[in-house]
Amino acid sequence: MADHPASTRIRTAVVGTGGIVTGAHLPAIAAHLDELELVAAVDIDQDRLDAFHTTATAIDGIGPVTGHTDLATMLETERPQLVLLGTPPSLHHQQARAALTAGAWVWAEKPLCLTLAEFDDITAAEGPAGTGPYAAVVAQHRYGSGTTHARRLLTTGELGTPRVAHCQTTWYRNTDYYAVDWRGRWATEGGGPTMGHGIHQTDLLLHLLGDWTEIRALAGRLVHDIESEDVSTALVRFAGGTIATVVNSVLSPHEVSRIRIDCDDATVELTHLYGHTNNDWTYTPRPGIDDTRVTNWRTNPDDTPSSHAAQLAGIIHAYRTGTRPPGSGPDARRTIEFNAALYKAAFTGRPVHAGDITPDDPYYTAMHGNHPDWAPATTEEQQ
Ligand SMILES: NC(=O)c1ccc[n+]([C@@H]2O[C@H](COP(=O)([O-])OP(=O)(O)OC[C@H]3O[C@@H](n4cnc5c(N)ncnc54)[C@H](O)[C@@H]3O)[C@@H](O)[C@H]2O)c1
């Protein structure tokens, strides 16, 4: 409680007290209790709300947390300044809008929303530049010292020009996983591993390499009886000239999350599963590189793991300074646009360029783009 007395701590609420809020948001809040005061929790399921209350209030420094089963009531009675959303994906759009309209900043779980149209509608509800409120998306793999270090080496040219990259999310999900009603459906999850799983790695790839310009892709529904894909692959060209491959799968018994970037002077690789530390990053020099340079690449003075807590520090800083937070605005839109373009390229069999998907494009309002092989057959099925 060092820096701020209770009265100046940021009044924080969580919405959806399930797996991710209890397992990741709560520890992140607990790591920032000098800045945050957890005042309220919302869930439509009273049992989950009660379980969350028990877990939260057992943490030293977290006082009573008022439980609510209705978001609008919570916003009106608790007047939170920061709202963390951990509800199923289809709810994020309207819940983010409601919180922004009530004057609260929003940090929503991935995906922030299901379409580019929803994304633009959320940002339209943000406050003015310089004050906010703003809406940001959880992208915890972008944070932590390993990413910061690698990005600095890449963007300063220390590793030479990035030429070839691989981005791999090869995970395994069984039929029980898809028994949860909101999963595997366009209207509720927004897509398959492209939107729900690989989004962490592709977002990190874009964070490291910058703007993408062109995508060609394939998608398949190979194993699971779901509406969306269970595997997608893409070929991507970046503005800086790098050519990359992307694989998003939930069919892969040997699970791994991987990024590899071959630059003129070195290959940088990240290999992990659900989060990384410095040790998960390696740097391999090309022959002839001076030892001192290699030692500097491999020496990272800080060791902060990627985590919700690491990103939340940036959200708090942005709130305190009234600046756009990391993981919001054009930066977050680029990742959603990447996914929309990947689906469009896969389903139409044609390359898609950045900026192609405008509001009159069917892939602007639905990731399936109303494609007859991929969109639910009737409007009723989309509910
Ligand atoms: N960042 C990550 O690494 C990561 C990992 C897992 C899940 N997620 C994301 O977190 C979100 C939630 O996933 P989860 O696995 O925690 O799901 P979950 O089902 O465990 O939790 C969702 C909770 O939301 C509640 N809820 C449903 N409708 C609600 C409403 N209208 N108002 C308030 N609460 C409501 C449910 O009762 C449930 O408690 C998803 O967007 C998912 O993609 C992110």
Side-chain angles (χ1 to χ4, degrees), residues 15-22 24-25 42-46 48-49 68-71 85-92 95 108-112 138-141 171 177 180 182-183 189 195-196 200 274 308:
V15 184
T17 55
I20 200 67
V21 164
T22 307
H25 292 221
V42 183
D43 202 299
I44 52 170
D45 182 331
Q46 187 67 48
R48 288 208 173 194
L49 203 50
H68 290 267
T69 52
D70 177 64
L71 174 61
L85 296 179
T87 45
S90 61
L91 302 178
H92 299 174
Q95 291 182 333
E109 264 306 334
K110 58 79 191 165
L112 174 57
V138 174
Q140 77 270 23
H141 294 197
W171 292 2
Y177 177 85
V180 174
W182 57 265
R183 294 204 176 112
E189 195 172 17
M195 279 294 275
H200 282 301
Y274 298 139
H308 282 66

Side-chain angles (χ1 to χ4, degrees), residues 147-158:
T147 300
T148 306
H149 183 65
R151 189 165 187 266
R152 188 176 56 73
L153 295 175
L154 285 160
T155 56
T156 58
E158 174 55 28

Side-chain angles (χ1 to χ4, degrees), residues 240-256:
T242 313
I243 291 178
T245 60
V246 174
V247 179
N248 302 304
S249 161
V250 285
L251 310 177
S252 306
H254 179 194
E255 296 190 291
V256 69

Side-chain angles (χ1 to χ4, degrees), residues 89 93 97 111-125 186 189-191 195 199 206 212 215 329-345 352-369:
H93 169 212
R97 248 194 160 277
L112 174 57
C113 51
L114 305 188
T115 64
L116 277 167
E118 289 186 358
F119 185 92
D120 290 343
D121 192 50
I122 290 171
T123 49
W186 296 106
E189 195 172 17
M195 279 294 275
I199 196 167
L206 302 185
W212 62 274
I215 301 184
D331 178 35
R333 192 183 194 280
R334 184 172 63 180
T335 302
I336 296 281
E337 186 190 7
F338 180 94
N339 278 354
L342 190 157
Y343 282 122
K344 182 174 181 180
V352 177
H353 295 86
D356 277 358
I357 302 179
T358 48
D360 55 346
D361 188 305
Y363 289 86
Y364 181 79
T365 44
M367 288 287 171
H368 55 60

Side-chain angles (χ1 to χ4, degrees), residues 7-56:
S7 58
T8 61
R9 286 192 289 154
I10 301 166
R11 290 174 61 77
T12 303
V14 294
V15 184
T17 55
I20 200 67
V21 164
T22 307
H25 292 221
L26 184 57
I29 292 167
H32 293 288
L33 284 177
D34 55 338
E35 289 276 8
L36 305 179
E37 182 188 9
L38 180 59
V39 294
V42 183
D43 202 299
I44 52 170
D45 182 331
Q46 187 67 48
D47 290 343
R48 288 208 173 194
L49 203 50
D50 293 344
F52 177 82
H53 189 269
T54 303
T55 307

